[in-house]
């Protein structure tokens, strides 16, 4: 039994070690993937050779995501259950533009650390959530613009229209002055609505958790029998 526990702990240690090593390469792959996709969408009249090169970089970036997922699956030792327990990772492999939503996994790990109310830790989560919202909004704007610009009856005809729509969608404002009309555009809109709620929840939840833990630790340090002091 002890050997089984040691083996499980060893697998978990190797898994977290792999995740730490791959964080920077995967971030670079995300930037490359998004950059190549943006150029292909926005640069009209791009020579065919350049378009093929950008497509090759896009596929190479996607392949790195796939390799990372397969290695994590292998190191987890969970077999087919890994897919069920980590659905977001599988979704990111299918749609790498959704990688910013991985902030939720980081937020969950931070939320369960009740011992120390470290502002720097929560600040990093908030900063990462903000950057993730920008990346997700940009990716969504690109995808919707690519689908909507030539569609009959479309209200999103320029990239500026698409960026405005993405901002109002992610912030859950939803003015309704521009909206996707194509099926793929509406699917992207649904994902962005859910993503906006998740990212906003990570920001507000992190800040609230830090405040609550700070006040709790302050109360714990108060001498026994003393009443809360006035401000």
């Amino acid at each position: 039994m002890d050997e089984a526990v040691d083996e499980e702990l060893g697998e978990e240690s190797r898994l977290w070690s792999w995740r730490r090593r791959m964080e920077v390469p995967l971030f670079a792959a995300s930037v490359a993937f998004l950059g190549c996709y943006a150029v292909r969408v926005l640069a009209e009249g791009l020579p065919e050779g350049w378009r093929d090169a950008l497509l090759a970089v896009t596929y190479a970036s996607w392949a790195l995501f796939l390799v990372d997922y397969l290695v994590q699956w292998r190191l987890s030792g969970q077999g087919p259950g890994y897919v069920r327990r980590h659905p977001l990772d599988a979704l990111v492999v299918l749609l790498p533009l959704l990688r910013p939503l991985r902030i939720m996994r980081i937020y969950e790990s931070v939320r369960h650390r009740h011992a120390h109310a470290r502002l720097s830790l929560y600040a990093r989560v908030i900063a990462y959530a903000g950057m993730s919202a920008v990346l997700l909004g940009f990716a969504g704007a690109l995808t919707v613009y690519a689908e909507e610009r030539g569609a009959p009856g479309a209200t999103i005809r320029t990239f500026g229209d698409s960026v405005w729509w993405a901002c109002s969608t992610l912030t859950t404002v939803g003015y309704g002055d521009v909206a996707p009309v194509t099926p793929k555009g509406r699917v992207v809109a649904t994902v962005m609505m859910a993503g906006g709620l998740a990212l906003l929840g990570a920001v507000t939840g992190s800040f609230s958790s830090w405040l609550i833990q700070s006040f709790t630790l302050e109360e714990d340090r108060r001498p026994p029998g003393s009443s809360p002091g006035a401000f």
Side-chain angles (χ1 to χ4, degrees):
M1 183 174 181
D2 292 338
E3 293 180 358
V5 172
D6 292 339
E7 183 178 355
E8 182 177 352
L9 292 175
E11 290 176 348
E12 184 175 353
S13 176
R14 289 193 296 271
L15 178 60
W16 281 106
S17 177
W18 170 264
R19 286 176 175 173
R20 286 195 299 270
R21 288 199 303 268
M22 292 299 295
E23 198 61 39
V24 173
L26 289 177
F27 176 78
S30 299
V31 173
F33 189 98
L34 184 58
C36 292
Y37 181 65
V39 173
R40 286 174 57 85
V41 170
L42 299 177
E44 298 181 3
L46 195 67
E48 192 64 27
W50 280 101
R51 297 186 70 85
D52 292 340
L54 293 172
L55 188 61
V57 174
T58 301
Y59 281 133
S61 302
W62 180 83
L64 183 60
F65 281 102
L66 180 60
V67 169
D68 172 69
Y69 181 77
L70 293 177
V71 171
Q72 290 195 49
W73 187 349
R74 176 66 180 85
L75 292 178
S76 70
Q78 298 174 3
Y82 182 80
V83 181
R84 185 181 65 258
R85 296 174 185 174
H86 301 83
L88 185 57
D89 290 339
L91 183 60
V92 169
V93 172
L94 297 176
L95 296 172
L97 293 177
L98 297 181
R99 188 172 186 268
L101 294 181
R102 289 179 68 252
I103 180 64
M104 296 310 299
R105 187 172 69 185
I106 299 176
Y107 167 63
E108 285 297 320
S109 64
V110 170
R111 192 169 63 86
H112 286 90
R113 296 185 180 184
H114 299 293
H116 303 286
R118 296 172 52 190
L119 176 60
S120 60
L121 188 61
Y122 287 106
R124 286 199 296 270
V125 173
I126 293 173
Y128 188 54
M131 291 187 293
S132 298
V134 172
L135 291 175
L136 182 62
F138 184 60
L142 284 171
T143 305
V144 168
Y145 173 61
E147 293 297 316
E148 297 287 318
R149 56 185 170 184
T155 57
I156 301 176
R157 298 189 177 277
T158 67
F159 185 59
D161 293 337
S162 187
V163 170
W164 168 250
W165 166 83
C167 291
S168 62
T169 301
L170 277 178
T171 55
T172 67
V173 174
Y175 287 108
D177 52 346
V178 290
V181 297
T182 61
K184 186 174 181 180
R186 289 176 175 175
V187 170
V188 173
T190 302
V191 173
M192 288 187 62
M193 291 174 194
L197 290 173
L199 293 172
L200 287 175
V203 172
T204 57
S206 295
F207 185 68
S208 300
S209 296
W210 173 73
L211 285 178
I212 292 172
Q213 290 187 29
S214 296
F215 291 143
T216 302
L217 291 176
E218 184 178 348
E219 290 294 327
D220 291 340
R221 289 195 296 266
R222 196 179 303 279
S226 63
S227 59
F231 288 103

